[in-house]
Amino acid sequence: MDALSRRHQPEAGLRRGADHIAPDAAGQNFYAIDRGLRDLLAHYLSPADFQNLEPHFDRLGALAGGRLDELARLADKHPPVLQPRDRFGRDEDWIDYHASYREMEQIAFGDFQFHAMSHRAGALGMDRPLPAVAKYALQYLFVQAEFGLMCPISVTDTSTHLIRKFASPELQAYLLPKMLSGDVATMWKGTQFMTERAGGSDVGTIETTARLEDGEWRLFGDKWFCSHADADVALLLARPEGAPSGTKGLALFAMPRRLKDGSRNAYRIVRLKDKLGTRSMASGEILLEGAVAYLVGEASQGLKQMMEQVNLSRLSHGVRAAAMMRRCVNEAMVCARTRQAFGNTIIDYPLLRRQLLKITLPAEQSLSMFLFAADAMDRANAGDNDARNILRILTPLLKFRACRDNIPVATGSMEVRGGNGYIEEWVHARLVRDAHLGVLWEGTSNINALDIITRAVGKSFAHRALQAALVTLLDEAASIPLVFSDRLRQMLDRVAAFADRVAAEAALEGHARQAASALYHITSAILMASEAARPGVDARRALYARLVLEHRLSTQDPLAPREAAWERAAAEVLLSERVVSVEEIAGLLA
């Protein structure tokens, strides 16, 4: 049987006598088994949108656990290869991809049209662009199988946003029909080239220059880390000759891979990066040798415009981290419920049960956070100014904390599998490798923490809109025991005051990550408690909220056993597969 057609089936292994090896999650429908996602989508989407889109969630969930998972495994083992010249010696550099990657592109750009679903009608049969909640939920399902390709998907989507918002009508007419096409063979994929050897997060040190020659902009420079290196159009920052130094002198340009006459533009892919993770996707170094480019928007507003793409990418990175944590939970749970050791199924052992909760808790937090952020985006796009402020702080919060949590979750899930988890035939090794990228792309943890505290809190006061929204959610959650609700309110006040203090006192800058984490944890706890109070939502989410309150926001004695009777009872409920009501668990929330 051809490798691309062979389905990984644990049952087949068991029939061959490998009955001591626990199966993995391959073959499962990642939408059908995710009760939290299904409940929350029904809450955040309108009934009509949920009814129309649920078949597509279900279809992608099945693909993520099936065919897409097979393709992702193959693409990871067969990374792209740079071909610098053609047989005549011409510098017609191109990248060869494995057939598995090309099939994944067809699923993403052709079947689901991820790149266009936020920008035009027609994707998934919708008569208008999809709401952000739906788009990010679909990304969440896709990334549970394949992380690498989500970079080209996301940067095509976000590049389209910048072109639509800032480019001239002439440039829009040239680029948008190509970028929004549903024909994978002819569409133009986008990307973003920003990092240089002289500057990563320190964008003001960018050395790429732009020269206006005969009415045409030409770019000269060396871009150091270019993901999706062979994209059809790249957005990048460059300094026009004579512009001031620092970030104020940077302009935003759109640089096509091919010129209007079909010839190659004047830049070369020097080499591809040999990366720890995201092996399926081509990242490279780009040498600009007078490449033709088009000015996007005002030359003095380049960084401000580019930051819109950065922030959209940060939100997507948070969603990707949530997705990978969910895959880790799926893998850990199927292993824990089937693997036998010392005469018992390993989920029966107290230490393993505690480890499973440590894996599951941050995954559930990130699910609530990204859906709340996506809903804020939808409301902000409709003109809600409070939602715009909420999104301003939620975006870096999600990027900062979810991407950090993803690393220990991936390692913890591998440990549940044991030695097999370290073997590349299983998905854990790839999850561990890929998890580390989230804390690097679009700003390190320090950069995002400073954005949260110094700017979103200290300058924009965005946390006040968030605080008001969280108080309203607690007011509406009438079925949550008052003693628990009051504890959440009091902690929210403490966290907001702490964030204000860190933002106001320069000497406390070293506590920015601590304050940002506290904001993330209290926000996610209140979201999960309020979700649990909604009709039809599994109330176990409130137990996760209490775990956050006790273990992420409360003082603990490291030498005192912390697992009280309520925690043992909560673990029984959380690790079961039954749905509960608030009334059933009220005693565990007091």
Side-chain angles (χ1 to χ4, degrees):
M1 186 181 296
D2 181 78
L4 282 173
S5 303
R6 187 182 299 116
R7 179 176 297 276
H8 179 77
Q9 293 186 357
E11 299 87 346
L14 295 176
R15 287 195 298 272
R16 289 193 296 272
D19 53 314
H20 295 295
I21 305 296
D24 60 13
Q28 296 192 36
N29 183 319
F30 292 160
Y31 176 72
I33 65 174
D34 192 343
R35 176 62 192 246
L37 175 64
R38 290 186 284 119
D39 284 353
L40 296 184
L41 285 177
H43 162 58
Y44 280 115
L45 291 173
S46 71
D49 281 352
F50 182 68
Q51 181 179 8
N52 290 334
L53 291 170
E54 188 175 33
H56 299 292
F57 297 137
D58 185 72
R59 178 165 63 101
L60 186 54
L63 280 169
R67 181 62 173 171
L68 193 57
D69 186 55
E70 297 168 5
L71 296 169
R73 292 170 189 254
L74 282 167
D76 185 67
K77 295 180 185 300
H78 300 279
V81 177
L82 175 63
Q83 305 292 348
R85 286 183 168 183
D86 68 9
R87 66 183 182 275
F88 300 105
R90 294 173 299 200
D91 291 331
E92 292 286 346
D93 50 356
W94 73 94
I95 298 173
D96 281 333
Y97 294 91
H98 192 260
S100 55
Y101 186 85
R102 292 304 191 191
E103 188 173 334
M104 290 194 296
E105 284 187 314
Q106 178 60 47
I107 293 171
F109 291 103
D111 298 349
F112 283 87
Q113 299 188 27
F114 276 99
H115 65 294
M117 60 175 54
S118 288
H119 306 290
R120 61 161 171 79
L124 305 183
M126 293 287 283
D127 60 359
R128 65 187 189 285
L130 266 69
V133 167
K135 178 181 80 170
Y136 289 117
L138 290 164
Q139 287 192 12
Y140 172 80
L141 290 167
F142 186 95
V143 173
Q144 288 182 51
E146 165 62 5
F147 174 60
L149 182 57
M150 187 47 67
C151 171
I153 292 169
S154 178
V155 286
T156 302
D157 170 31
T158 57
S159 296
T160 300
H161 170 79
L162 261 63
I163 295 297
R164 292 184 68 194
K165 185 169 182 178
F166 299 116
S168 66
E170 294 78 14
L171 187 56
Q172 290 186 35
Y174 174 46
L175 294 179
L176 290 181
K178 301 176 180 66
M179 298 177 74
L180 292 174
S181 171
D183 182 357
V184 178
T186 60
M187 68 164 290
W188 277 24
K189 303 183 189 77
T191 192
Q192 170 207 76
F193 298 161
M194 193 155 65
T195 302
E196 298 184 8
R197 278 177 284 188
S201 297
D202 188 4
V203 180
T205 59
I206 279 178
E207 296 175 339
T208 297
T209 59
R211 183 184 305 159
L212 191 59
E213 297 181 354
D214 300 324
E216 197 169 53
W217 285 102
R218 292 187 174 272
L219 306 183
F220 300 84
D222 194 344
K223 293 295 183 179
W224 181 243
F225 203 106
C226 302
S227 294
H228 196 198
D230 60 339
D232 300 287
V233 59
L235 295 185
L236 68 167
L237 294 174
R239 194 180 311 280
E241 289 184 334
S245 61
T247 58
K248 293 181 179 179
L250 296 176
L252 179 64
F253 292 90
M255 181 181 71
R257 179 79 171 134
R258 295 273 170 183
L259 301 179
K260 291 181 179 180
D261 63 3
S263 62
R264 187 177 66 85
N265 205 349
Y267 70 88
R268 293 187 292 122
I269 305 172
V270 179
R271 65 170 177 169
L272 297 186
K273 300 287 193 180
D274 186 8
K275 298 173 293 181
L276 174 67
T278 60
R279 293 176 177 175
S280 64
M281 183 270 297
S283 298
E285 299 165 19
I286 303 295
L287 185 61
L288 306 168
E289 302 171 311
V292 173
Y294 302 93
L295 182 65
V296 178
E298 298 180 30
S300 62
Q301 299 297 306
L303 179 60
K304 181 179 180 180
Q305 294 168 167
M306 178 65 89
M307 284 306 298
E308 288 212 19
Q309 185 169 34
V310 169
N311 282 324
L312 288 169
S313 295
R314 284 176 175 172
L315 181 55
S316 179
H317 266 294
V319 175
R320 291 177 232 180
M324 286 191 281
M325 285 192 278
R326 175 58 54 190
R327 178 64 186 268
C328 290
V329 169
N330 293 344
E331 295 294 335
M333 287 298 183
V334 73
C335 184
R337 289 181 173 131
T338 56
R339 184 181 174 190
Q340 299 286 319
F342 308 105
N344 290 300
T345 306
I346 63 173
I347 199 171
D348 295 330
Y349 292 109
L351 272 175
L352 196 280
R353 295 168 74 81
R354 192 175 182 87
Q355 184 174 351
L356 290 173
L357 289 181
K358 287 184 177 181
I359 293 170
T360 306
L361 180 59
E364 295 292 349
Q365 287 179 268
S366 63
L367 173 65
S368 293
M369 289 291 284
F370 95 70
L371 286 172
F372 186 58
D375 180 65
M377 177 179 284
D378 284 327
R379 291 185 287 114
N381 290 339
D384 186 328
N385 192 58
D386 285 338
R388 186 174 296 108
N389 286 325
I390 290 169
L391 182 63
R392 169 66 185 91
I393 193 168
L394 283 177
T395 295
L397 273 178
L398 179 66
K399 163 66 168 69
F400 164 70
R401 190 67 257 170
C403 290
R404 292 189 61 76
D405 287 342
N406 191 19
I407 295 172
V409 166
T411 302
S413 180
M414 174 187 282
E415 192 175 13
V416 174
R417 173 75 54 189
N420 279 335
Y422 199 67
I423 305 304
E424 291 284 354
E425 291 176 314
W426 301 80
V427 73
H428 300 278
R430 174 158 51 96
L431 290 169
V432 169
R433 288 189 275 105
D434 287 349
H436 287 76
L437 189 53
V439 297
L440 304 174
W441 268 353
E442 312 303 351
T444 62
S445 298
N446 287 350
I447 293 297
N448 279 274
L450 289 172
D451 182 43
I452 294 161
I453 301 303
T454 304
R455 289 182 284 276
V457 172
K459 294 182 179 179
S460 301
F461 308 110
H463 64 307
R464 295 178 183 172
L466 176 61
Q467 185 176 9
L470 295 175
V471 168
T472 299
L473 289 176
L474 285 175
D475 289 342
E476 294 171 350
S479 61
I480 297 296
L482 186 60
V483 62
F484 182 55
S485 181
D486 283 346
R487 285 189 65 195
L488 290 170
R489 291 173 195 272
Q490 292 164 12
M491 186 58 70
L492 176 62
D493 290 341
R494 289 189 61 198
V495 168
F498 179 54
D500 274 325
R501 184 183 174 194
V502 174
E505 299 180 30
L508 295 178
E509 183 180 293
H511 294 275
R513 282 164 61 148
Q514 181 183 357
S517 290
L519 281 168
Y520 180 90
H521 291 315
I522 190 57
T523 300
S524 64
I526 291 174
L527 289 178
M528 291 190 290
S530 69
E531 291 158 0
R534 297 187 179 278
V537 175
D538 183 358
R540 288 184 297 178
R541 305 196 70 73
L543 294 178
Y544 289 122
R546 184 171 181 191
L547 286 173
V548 172
L549 192 59
E550 302 293 349
H551 290 277
R552 300 290 185 266
L553 292 165
S554 299
T555 303
Q556 300 179 33
D557 182 348
L559 301 181
R562 290 278 299 169
E563 190 174 54
W566 81 267
E567 276 193 63
R568 291 191 292 273
E572 288 291 333
V573 176
L574 291 172
L575 295 175
S576 72
E577 297 183 270
R578 67 188 185 91
V579 176
V580 300
S581 65
V582 173
E583 291 71 25
E584 291 178 76
I585 60 170
L588 301 177
L589 299 175

